[in-house]
Amino acid sequence: MNAPTAYFEHGTAAERWARARLFFDAKEYATAARILQALAAEAPEQLAPRLLLARAYYHSAQLGRAERELRALLERWPVEDYAQLMLGRTLQRQGRAEEAAPYLRIAAAMAGEFPQE
């Protein structure tokens, strides 16, 4: 028998977005991700739900999912500097510092931070 759907998965997209933000702000990242998965699937052309989903995955230590979402974001929005930074940090957290370095350099350059030589 299927478990009943939780209340936070009901409502309009705007209501679910607001609910996901509340859970995220309350540091209930796994719950926020659960809400955001459906929102991101419904509107894959919208950056904000997908970026918040990646952040929720990152903060709930779902690093593989965070990486996949961030790579998909960067495929669609390669100039999204925060996604570049998040992917670099996600890779670092997985112990893949060498792979993370280019993303972190790109994010820094996009933010106007250049190394002093």
Side-chain angles (χ1 to χ4, degrees):
M1 191 158 130
N2 291 335
T5 304
Y7 78 92
F8 48 77
E9 294 175 344
H10 293 287
T12 66
E15 290 167 340
R16 288 179 287 140
W17 169 252
R19 202 170 294 125
R21 295 290 314 236
L22 287 172
F23 278 107
F24 188 90
D25 291 344
K27 297 182 178 12
E28 293 288 337
Y29 302 117
T31 303
R34 192 166 142 200
I35 299 166
L36 290 162
Q37 286 170 342
L39 284 173
E42 289 171 24
E45 72 284 354
Q46 291 188 7
L47 174 64
R50 294 184 68 188
L51 191 55
L52 191 60
L53 174 59
R55 292 177 62 201
Y57 283 149
Y58 177 85
H59 289 298
S60 62
Q62 299 179 63
L63 300 178
R65 289 179 175 179
E67 179 184 350
R68 282 189 299 278
E69 189 62 34
L70 289 161
R71 287 187 187 280
L73 281 169
L74 289 172
E75 229 175 83
R76 188 169 190 140
W77 295 282
V79 296
E80 178 53 47
D81 61 328
Y82 191 68
Q84 296 278 355
L85 176 65
M86 284 287 304
L87 181 54
R89 296 283 185 237
T90 299
L91 293 169
Q92 275 183 330
R93 198 167 163 194
Q94 293 177 40
R96 298 159 58 192
E98 190 173 313
E99 194 178 340
Y103 296 101
L104 297 173
R105 278 195 303 275
I106 290 169
M110 290 173 132
E113 300 168 10
F114 300 100
Q116 301 295 324
E117 295 183 35

